[in-house]
Amino acid sequence: MSASRLTRFVDLPGGIDPQTALLRAQANTEAYRESAMALIDQAIDALVAAGPDVDARTAARLAESVRSLAGMFDLSVLEQSAGGLCDMIRALVERGAWDATAVRINVQALKIIRQHGDSEHLEEILDGLRRLSAKTAKGQS
Amino acid sequence: MGKHENTFRFQDASVLIVDENTGFMDLTAQILMGFGFRKLERRGLKHAEPAAASDPDLIILDPFPDLEAGLRLIEDHRRRQSANAPPAVVIVVTGHTPRPLIEQARRVGADYIVAKPFSANTLLDRILWSTSSVFANLASTEIDAEDAEDAEDDAYRASIQGATAALLQ
């Protein structure tokens, strides 16, 4: 029996090899970059606009959107900071204690990082966010 | 089978992509189109249930934020598939991969769990791996995919990865 339903599409006349497929996928990904950046900006703007009353589920969804899209385009500082926000939101939800200030600082940092580009000079901001997230997760003020 | 599978033509393979993040869903679709897939159906998790009538060859699904609904979708699909026919390939892609989720996803029938963000290389690797005879043997003995990667056919994996690693690193 075939391994899976995709097996029947292998080794057919007119097929492509992995190298060709990856080059095409890479080109398609790059063509999507501008749209992805716009979606990242929209998500950050939505987080900013939601303010302190944002519900955890919405905040998590928007932060995850920023994280995953940034990661697909090698925006590592933005990906890490959005990932930190995701982790912090999960920790706050698990503790049953929302910290609007900590969330707001993280959201503002996302905005700053996006405005100033993905640069190693933002490492200081990232360090500060990590410390804040760690303290928030432990319930310290 | 395995090492000779150097080419593929996925244009007639049907794909269901389920993701609440429409931007990421579009990006996944772009990557799959690069691989040659053309029959792509995209759904949000909330609207994925009516897909019961469809019969995709490949399902790529992010179960968040409604984990229960996402896993039920996989389970329902597995329940419907014929025992005598080759199985569809189910890949869970998600930004949050705690161990309980991985175990639950495998229990309901996911073949792979891929963390977001992922490289096109990683996704293609999983797709091609699912076409190999090793995949069938392991599926039939209910050994999970991670163990399979450790245990079997390293040469086949290396042939795919070796050919492609330089492209996306």
Side-chain angles (χ1 to χ4, degrees):
Chain A
M1 191 170 85
S2 296
S4 76
R5 289 179 52 164
L6 292 178
T7 306
R8 63 196 161 114
F9 301 105
V10 169
D11 281 347
L12 295 176
I16 59 172
D17 58 30
Q19 295 96 317
T20 304
L22 286 171
L23 282 171
R24 290 178 182 174
Q26 197 173 28
N28 287 358
T29 301
E30 203 49 44
Y32 193 74
R33 178 183 288 270
E34 204 173 312
S35 300
M37 296 306 113
L39 289 168
I40 286 171
D41 289 337
Q42 283 172 22
I44 294 173
D45 288 345
L47 278 166
V48 172
D53 296 327
V54 65
D55 70 278
R57 193 174 168 126
T58 301
R61 177 177 59 79
L62 292 168
E64 171 52 31
S65 180
V66 173
R67 192 190 73 85
S68 57
L69 285 170
M72 294 298 281
F73 291 92
D74 297 325
L75 301 175
S76 60
V77 176
L78 189 60
E79 179 197 351
Q80 286 177 53
S81 50
L85 178 55
C86 292
D87 293 342
M88 192 176 71
I89 292 168
R90 261 193 297 275
L92 290 171
V93 169
E94 282 170 14
R95 273 179 40 213
W98 192 244
D99 187 335
T101 303
V103 172
R104 181 173 54 81
I105 290 169
N106 271 267
V107 169
Q108 286 173 341
L110 291 183
K111 185 86 180 169
I112 291 168
I113 291 166
R114 182 71 187 113
Q115 283 169 344
H116 290 267
D118 203 83
S119 155
E120 60 186 23
H121 301 303
L122 294 167
E123 191 58 35
E124 205 171 316
I125 291 179
L126 210 50
D127 279 345
L129 292 175
R130 287 193 197 106
R131 285 196 296 273
L132 174 64
S133 296
K135 285 174 73 174
T136 306
K138 289 177 187 167
Q140 300 168 347
S141 55
Chain B
M1 200 171 85
K3 295 175 183 63
H4 66 284
E5 293 174 349
N6 293 325
T7 65
F8 42 86
R9 203 183 68 191
F10 289 132
Q11 65 190 44
D12 294 322
S14 58
V15 185
L16 173 64
I17 310 172
V18 180
D19 199 324
E20 281 298 295
N21 182 341
T22 53
F24 203 93
M25 184 158 54
D26 289 344
L27 183 53
T28 303
Q30 290 299 320
I31 292 170
L32 291 171
M33 288 172 75
F35 298 164
F37 289 97
R38 293 293 177 267
K39 296 181 178 177
L40 304 171
E41 186 179 1
R42 307 171 206 195
R43 290 175 186 269
L45 197 51
K46 286 180 221 157
H47 306 290
E49 292 293 344
S54 68
D55 194 17
D57 299 302
L58 170 64
I59 298 173
I60 295 182
L61 177 144
D62 186 342
F64 283 99
D66 191 341
L67 183 61
E68 195 177 318
L71 296 181
R72 191 170 56 241
L73 189 78
I74 300 171
E75 197 168 28
D76 289 348
H77 180 83
R78 289 303 192 204
R79 196 176 293 129
R80 285 198 311 274
Q81 75 184 16
S82 165
N84 299 320
V89 177
V90 177
I91 301 176
V92 168
V93 292
T94 181
H96 187 47
T97 53
R99 174 59 60 181
L101 165 67
I102 294 170
E103 288 168 356
Q104 276 181 292
R106 284 188 172 150
R107 206 175 302 130
V108 297
D111 296 308
Y112 300 107
I113 292 89
V114 174
K116 286 182 178 177
F118 53 80
S119 69
N121 193 2
T122 297
L123 188 58
L124 182 60
D125 184 46
R126 299 302 182 275
I127 289 169
L128 294 183
W129 179 249
S130 75
T131 66
S132 77
S133 58
V134 175
F135 179 85
N137 293 338
L138 291 169
S140 65
T141 54
E142 297 183 1
I143 297 172
D144 71 39
E146 191 173 76
D147 292 340
E149 288 174 15
D150 293 335
E152 301 280 342
D153 209 352
D154 286 341
Y156 172 63
R157 292 178 59 74
S159 71
I160 296 171
Q161 290 174 335
T164 57
L167 292 171
L168 293 176
Q169 297 305 312

